[in-house]
Amino acid sequence: MLDFVGDGPLMEDCKALAKRLGIEDRIVFHGALEHSKTLSLFKLASVFVQHSVKDFDGAEESFGITFVEAAFSGIPVVATRSGGIPEVVVDKETGLLVEQGDHVAMAAAISSLLDSPTEAKAMGERGRSRALARFTMTESSARLRRLMGVAEPVRHV
C-alpha cells in the first residue's frame, strides 16, 4: 500500500494516473495532514519516497525536514539529488538517491529496498543514528553557535 501525503496542483493528475494504471485501490491519497498524523504514518512505513525536482523558476528542495523526520523514524529514504536533500540522505548509506526526473531509477531504488528488508532496515538504522548525531535541536544549535563564533551558553545547575 502506498500512502500519498501532501497536496497541490498536481494531485488530480496523480489520482487520474493511478486510475489509468489500475492501481488506485493500492494508494491512499491523504492530502495534507497534520504533523502528528504524518509522523504516525512514518511508524508504519517501510520506505519514505520523495521525488523532488527544480521548479520552473529554478527553485529546488531546501534542507527538507521530512527527510530528517523519516531518518528519526528509522526508515530508509529514496529521493532525488535535489537541493539540500543530499545533506540529509547519504546515498547507499541512509537511503538511495537518484537523478531528478529519472522515474526508472526511482522505481528500481524503491524495489531494491522493498526486496531487501534487511538492508532497508540497516539503512534506516544508520539514518537514525546520523540524525541523532547531527540534527537534534541541541546539535543543530551547537553547530550554529560554532559557525557564528558564539560561545556555548552557560548552564546553571
Side-chain angles (χ1 to χ4, degrees), residues 3-130:
D3 286 294
F4 191 110
V5 177
D7 205 352
L10 298 176
M11 177 60 88
E12 292 308 314
D13 291 344
C14 291
K15 289 178 179 178
L17 177 60
K19 186 171 181 137
R20 266 196 322 277
L21 295 173
I23 59 172
E24 73 271 18
D25 61 330
R26 298 189 309 226
I27 302 174
V28 177
F29 289 96
H30 294 277
L33 289 178
E34 293 176 15
H35 188 245
S36 62
K37 290 182 180 179
T38 301
L39 292 179
S40 70
L41 287 174
F42 279 146
K43 293 178 184 174
L44 303 172
S46 301
V47 178
F48 175 75
V49 177
Q50 185 169 322
H51 195 103
S52 299
V53 295
K54 282 184 184 179
D55 70 11
F56 296 114
D57 296 324
E60 291 184 274
E61 186 74 43
S62 63
F63 178 70
I65 195 69
T66 56
F67 302 101
V68 175
E69 291 173 332
F72 275 122
S73 297
I75 55 176
V77 174
V78 175
T80 49
R81 286 182 188 88
S82 176
I85 296 170
E87 292 179 43
V88 180
V89 182
V90 180
D91 192 30
K92 297 180 183 77
E93 182 181 324
T94 67
L96 300 173
L97 296 174
V98 302
E99 296 306 318
Q100 296 178 42
D102 192 343
H103 302 111
V104 173
M106 177 69 72
I110 295 166
S111 292
S112 74
L113 290 178
L114 293 176
D115 291 343
S116 305
T118 302
E119 178 57 22
K121 183 175 184 202
M123 279 187 179
E125 289 170 356
R126 289 190 298 265
R128 180 170 167 69
S129 294
R130 187 170 189 276

Side-chain angles (χ1 to χ4, degrees), residues 2 30 59 97 132 147:
L2 172 65
H30 294 277
L97 296 174
L132 288 168
L147 287 170

